[in-house]
Amino acid sequence: MLSKKIRTLLVFSCIAAIFAAVGYWNISPERFLDQPAAKVEENIDWYATNTHTLQYLPDGKLQYEMTSDKVDHVKATDITLVTKPDLNMFRGTEFPWHVQSERAEVNPGGTEVELIDSVRITRTDEKNRTTLITTSRMTVFPQREYAQTEQPVRIDGAGGVSTGTGMKAYLKESRIHLLSKVRGQYEAR
C-alpha cells in the first residue's frame, strides 16, 4: 500500500499535468459551448427600382403587366425579391386578374410566385361584376394560371361574402374552391 504522502503527491501531480495540458493546447471551456451558426449572407447581385415589366404571349397578346417599387435578385439562391408587386394578368383577354401584395418571392425561372402580406386579387368581368379575394399569403403559378393558399381567405363578390381556410383558384376558368371552414353570406335579390 502506498503511503498517504505518496497518494497526495500523485493526485496533485495529475491535477498539475491536466492544467499543463490545458495551458499547452490552450483549451478553454468556451470551445465546448455551442457555436452560433455561420451567417449566410444574401448577396444581392442586381436590383432595380420603380420597375415596369410587360410579358407577351406567343400570339402577340399581352400576358401580364407588372410594376413594383423594388426588385432584388439574390445571387446564392437565384430568388427574386419584389417589393409592392402590382400585377395585371391579362392572359390574352380584356379582363385581367389584378394581383397585389406587400412583397413577393419569385423562384428561379419565374414558375412560382409567393405573395406575402396583404394579398389582394380582384377581377371585373364582362358583366361589370367585381370579385375580390384577400388573404395573408398565396402561391401563384403564372404559366398554369393557378393560385393556392392554406391561409384564411375572404372572397367578396356575386352579391355576397365567402370565407374559408385554404383555397385553390383556377384563374383561367374563373373557378375558386375554398377548402375548409367555409362560410357564406349572400343578399337576396
Side-chain angles (χ1 to χ4, degrees):
M1 255 188 81
L2 295 174
S3 71
K4 187 175 182 182
K5 196 178 203 183
I6 294 176
R7 275 187 278 160
T8 306
L9 184 62
L10 275 174
V11 169
F12 283 120
S13 298
C14 288
I15 292 172
I18 290 172
F19 280 122
V22 168
Y24 179 75
W25 285 297
N26 195 18
I27 299 173
S28 63
E30 291 82 23
R31 285 190 173 187
F32 299 106
L33 298 176
D34 289 335
Q35 297 293 325
K39 185 178 178 183
V40 177
E41 291 186 29
E42 291 187 1
N43 291 329
I44 305 296
D45 60 344
W46 60 262
Y47 73 95
T49 58
N50 299 318
T51 65
H52 183 226
T53 306
L54 297 171
Q55 174 76 33
Y56 292 93
L57 294 168
D59 64 1
K61 293 181 180 176
L62 186 60
Q63 181 178 11
Y64 71 81
E65 176 181 22
M66 186 181 88
T67 60
S68 68
D69 287 354
K70 186 175 183 186
V71 176
D72 293 317
H73 183 262
V74 181
K75 183 177 183 179
T77 59
D78 198 22
I79 291 176
T80 304
L81 308 173
V82 184
T83 305
K84 296 273 193 186
D86 190 332
L87 172 72
N88 282 306
M89 291 179 57
F90 286 92
R91 309 162 345 269
T93 68
E94 294 180 41
F95 306 101
W97 285 92
H98 185 199
V99 180
Q100 299 170 298
S101 68
E102 290 299 312
R103 55 195 180 94
E105 295 179 2
V106 183
N107 75 336
T111 58
E112 186 176 322
V113 179
E114 186 73 23
L115 301 169
I116 305 164
D117 297 331
S118 302
V119 178
R120 185 179 167 89
I121 300 176
T122 59
R123 179 175 185 256
T124 302
D125 64 11
E126 58 275 354
K127 295 180 182 176
N128 207 26
R129 297 176 297 193
T130 300
T131 302
L132 168 64
I133 305 168
T134 54
T135 187
S136 61
R137 191 175 189 109
M138 185 180 299
T139 306
V140 178
F141 301 87
Q143 283 76 20
R144 293 174 34 205
E145 298 182 30
Y146 171 77
Q148 67 183 26
T149 185
E150 295 178 4
Q151 303 301 313
V153 177
R154 177 183 170 106
I155 303 172
D156 293 283
V161 176
S162 299
T163 59
T165 302
M167 179 196 75
K168 292 182 178 182
Y170 302 89
L171 303 175
K172 188 173 188 176
E173 297 94 28
S174 297
R175 192 170 40 125
I176 301 168
H177 296 280
L178 293 173
L179 302 179
S180 66
K181 299 180 185 174
V182 179
R183 294 194 171 263
Q185 181 178 354
Y186 298 94
E187 16 178 288
R189 292 185 185 211

